[in-house]
Each structure stands twice: as structure tokens, then as C-alpha cells.
Amino acid sequence: MTTVDIHYPSARDLEEVMSSYLNSKQLLKLLQSKGIFVFNAKKSELAKLAASYLYSSDELTAIRRKAYSSSSKSILSGFHLTSKKPFDMNAIYNELRDGFSVNAASDYSLKAIHKETGSKDGKPIYRGELHYRSKKMGRLAFIQVEERDVDFRMISVDENNWLVEVDGTKSIDGKEVQKILKKAVKQHDISVENMELEALSGKKPIDFFDQLAQKGMSKDWTIDDIKRITIRKPASENTEDGEEVEDKHLSGIKQAILDGVNLRENPFVKSSEGSFIFTSMTYVFLEKNTGNKLVIRAEFKGNPKIFEVVLEQFLSSGQEVGEEGDGEFEDISSSLSSKDNWAYRSMFWKNAKEIYDSLLNN
């Protein structure tokens, strides 16, 4: 197990971290653990008071984890390992299981890896967990090094091709898993294939997001709404910066998609050609049999360059199909099992990959 040396932070640094990354409820709980009960205090006051107390190593580690857990959304990204000739994934699996690491500094390690049983099509699936250190330059020393654990699966497509799915909470997680596997397969003449926005030339990015609305989920689901669209200037493809499409344009795009009209004919889309590139779209799908709704985002990130899928909400009307209700939906995302959450995102990602490949070949 790897460890991180933590020098006790100054009260000023601790106060800044607490004020910036912890909420009032977390600060109150922290103070209560010290026997201090505070009422009607501002968050800044709570942070200043909490920073004045001494904390154990375990308590500091817990504070650091809270500071890094800015997002509770699970992000699924992926890539393919391909070769011109059949390759033995079992041998690569054994190398990884026996302690493959990227460098002598031990910033990367595999905590666990095993072969799953009972896959639907009988094809082998290997599942692992990567532990790595993420180092942030220019940040407070107390939170410069983050310890991260990321799940991934290696799924057989055919004897020359394996899909790797990465389940993380940050975009960089997918790239880190890709880094260790790329090094592991290099000597086996196996290449790593990604979904990259730059490969979709001309109007293909528009076609990609357009087709996702109709083919992103199985036939049990139908497109119900488009919540958000992000565009980016071509010159800014290497950055995270993007801007959301304004409501007045979003409504027209939304209606075109819902009506099954070719999105390229939309006036805003036509006028934006060459000036902007579509990089993200958030869809709302309706499950025909239950009336449940799935809010899912597809996005080409700029830095790191990766395509990812995020399940943002799982909504239930509490009504059977055909029954009358008040039209209100309850967000039951937290009650969705991690297995089902992964399954929905995996389905959407795989369908996106099929659309992507078809566009590349046309």
C-alpha cells in the first residue's frame, strides 16, 4: 500500500482548504468531533474556527479526501486494444496481476485484478482497480497529491480486439488507466484506439450527436428531451473551455431532434458551421415500459482528450405507464445500484462507438 507524507499544514492553509472545498455541514460535523457546537455561523467563520484545532493523521487524510471529492458523478470512458493478429489477453492479464507498475516511483499500482464469471455472451471479462497519485502543481501543499482508486474492465470483442471501460469520477482517470495498459501491451504489438473529436471532420460531429439521440439507448428507450448542448471554437479544442448553446437556439435544436429532422438543417447549426464544433450534449431518455427517465451526458473533453459518458440523473414518476400522475419526477439516482449505473453508461458508450466508427468509414 502506498502512502503520502503529509506535513502538518499551517492554520492559514487549512482554513483556505476548508473554506474552499468543504460545506457548512461538513465543517459543523468536524467541529462537533472536537466537542464544539456552533449555531448561526457563516461558512467562513466555521472554517476559521475549525482550522484552529489540531487534527490526527487520519483526520487530515479525511479532510483531503473531502477536498478532492468535488463530484459524485461517475464518469465512464473507454478505449480499444487492437492488433492485426490475435493476441493472448490472458498473458497480459497475468502480467498486470503479478504487479505491473509504470515506474519505479510507485505512483501507480494495481490493487486488484480478477476474471469475472457469468458474462451474458460467454466472452471473458477481466476487472481491475488502479491506484495512482495525482499531483497538482501550484496548489496548496496540503492537497497537492491526491490518492485515487479507479475501476476498469477489459472485455473481449474478438480475438484481435478488446474494449477497456474505465469507471471514474474525473476525466483524467480514463487517461491514467490507458497509460498503464498502453505500456503493458506495447511489447505485444497492440495499439490503443480512442474516440477523438478531431477525427470527425466537417459536419460529422453534428451527425454524431444527432444520431446518439436515436441510437444511444436500446429500443426500450425513446428520446424525450435535450437539456444542454456545449460548443467550442475549433482553435480551442485542446482546452476545457466551452460555452452552452443559448436557450433561444437550444429550443430549435431540441425540437429538430425530437421531430427526427436532420440537425444539420437547423438554422443555428448551419450558421455555426466552421465557427463552432459541438462537443457535448445532455439527453433525456424515457423508458417505455416504466415511464422512468434517464438524463445522460455525452462529451468530448478537450484536456485530456477523451470521450466520456455521465449518468446525471435517474428519474422516477412513481406511476405505472398509463396511470395519471402529477407530472412530477423524483430523482432516485442514489438508489440506482452501481452495477445498473455502469450498465446504462456502458450501453450508451458502446452505441456511441458504433456511431463514431460508422461516421469514420463514410
Side-chain angles (χ1 to χ4, degrees):
M1 179 178 178
T2 57
T3 59
V4 177
D5 293 330
I6 302 177
H7 299 287
Y8 199 91
S10 67
R12 178 178 293 181
D13 282 358
L14 200 53
E15 179 184 346
E16 185 174 343
V17 169
M18 289 177 170
S19 179
S20 299
Y21 298 102
L22 274 63
N23 57 42
S24 296
K25 186 176 180 180
Q26 291 171 326
L27 290 170
L28 285 169
K29 189 174 181 180
L30 201 57
L31 285 166
Q32 288 170 10
S33 71
K34 299 297 181 183
I36 307 298
F37 294 84
V38 182
F39 302 94
N40 299 323
K42 295 180 180 178
K43 180 182 172 182
S44 58
E45 295 171 336
L46 293 173
K48 186 172 184 178
L49 181 59
S52 65
Y53 289 90
L54 289 174
Y55 296 93
S56 68
S57 176
D58 288 343
E59 288 174 324
L60 289 176
T61 298
I63 292 170
R64 291 176 73 251
R65 286 175 179 167
K66 287 185 177 70
Y68 277 116
S69 59
S70 58
S71 172
S72 59
K73 298 288 193 303
S74 295
I75 299 173
L76 188 136
S77 58
F79 54 92
H80 278 76
L81 302 176
T82 64
S83 177
K84 294 180 179 179
K85 57 184 180 181
F87 60 91
D88 184 5
M89 195 67 199
N90 186 62
I92 298 170
Y93 152 73
N94 286 329
E95 291 175 13
L96 290 168
R97 184 193 59 190
D98 293 341
F100 172 83
S101 62
V102 170
N103 55 45
S106 298
D107 282 339
Y108 301 81
S109 64
L110 284 158
K111 297 181 68 176
I113 190 164
H114 63 273
K115 187 174 182 179
E116 287 191 344
T117 58
S119 61
K120 291 182 180 180
D121 54 9
K123 293 183 178 180
I125 298 176
Y126 297 113
R127 186 161 186 166
E129 183 180 348
L130 171 69
H131 176 87
Y132 75 95
R133 294 179 179 179
S134 176
K135 299 178 180 179
K136 311 291 184 182
M137 300 303 294
R139 300 187 68 172
L140 295 170
F142 178 54
I143 55 172
Q144 271 189 347
V145 180
E146 178 185 8
E147 301 276 343
R148 296 189 59 74
D149 294 311
V150 186
D151 287 329
F152 65 92
R153 293 193 304 180
M154 300 181 292
I155 307 164
S156 174
V157 178
D158 55 50
E159 58 184 6
N160 294 32
N161 187 10
W162 283 69
L163 164 64
V164 182
E165 292 184 339
V166 182
D167 187 31
T169 57
K170 293 186 177 180
S171 300
I172 192 63
D173 291 337
K175 279 297 186 182
E176 293 300 332
V177 172
Q178 186 180 131
K179 184 187 296 183
I180 70 154
L181 289 179
K182 190 172 185 179
K183 182 156 186 166
V185 304
K186 185 177 181 180
Q187 61 182 330
H188 299 279
D189 295 321
I190 299 169
S191 61
V192 175
E193 291 187 356
N194 294 302
M195 292 172 62
E196 296 186 353
L197 184 61
E198 298 90 325
L200 298 178
S201 58
K203 299 178 180 179
K204 289 181 178 180
I206 298 170
D207 290 336
F208 175 81
F209 288 107
D210 197 4
Q211 290 185 39
L212 262 180
Q214 310 303 327
K215 304 176 183 178
M217 297 297 292
S218 70
K219 293 181 179 179
D220 296 328
W221 298 80
T222 184
I223 187 66
D224 184 69
D225 198 1
I226 304 295
K227 290 193 67 174
R228 188 169 58 252
I229 298 173
T230 306
I231 55 178
R232 188 189 304 145
K233 292 182 179 180
S236 306
E237 285 188 5
N238 294 327
T239 73
E240 290 284 358
D241 297 330
E243 58 183 87
E244 289 189 20
V245 175
E246 297 178 14
D247 288 342
K248 61 181 180 180
H249 300 305
L250 179 59
S251 59
I253 294 173
K254 179 192 306 185
Q255 197 58 51
I257 290 176
L258 296 180
D259 291 342
V261 178
N262 192 319
L263 188 56
R264 287 187 292 178
E265 300 305 315
N266 176 268
F268 172 74
V269 174
K270 293 179 75 172
S271 66
S272 301
E273 188 178 345
S275 301
F276 295 99
I277 296 176
F278 281 69
T279 61
S280 171
M281 195 171 289
T282 302
Y283 306 86
V284 182
F285 290 96
L286 176 70
E287 190 171 25
K288 299 174 183 177
N289 294 330
T290 66
N292 292 333
K293 291 186 178 183
L294 188 69
V295 183
I296 197 162
R297 171 168 52 87
E299 180 169 9
F300 284 100
K301 303 294 287 188
N303 185 23
K305 289 184 179 180
I306 199 165
F307 176 75
E308 63 185 33
V309 172
V310 180
L311 193 157
E312 297 198 336
Q313 288 181 302
F314 191 81
L315 305 170
S316 172
S317 65
Q319 303 288 329
E320 295 293 332
V321 173
E323 292 183 349
E324 291 186 4
D326 55 12
E328 294 295 324
F329 282 81
E330 179 186 1
D331 187 353
I332 57 170
S333 304
S334 60
S335 64
L336 193 65
S337 70
S338 58
K339 181 179 180 181
D340 287 341
N341 190 311
W342 191 325
Y344 285 131
R345 287 176 291 135
S346 175
M347 178 196 303
F348 194 80
W349 195 95
K350 289 172 183 173
N351 289 335
K353 181 64 166 60
E354 288 187 11
I355 295 170
Y356 178 87
D357 288 343
S358 68
L359 290 170
L360 286 185
N361 296 327
N362 290 332

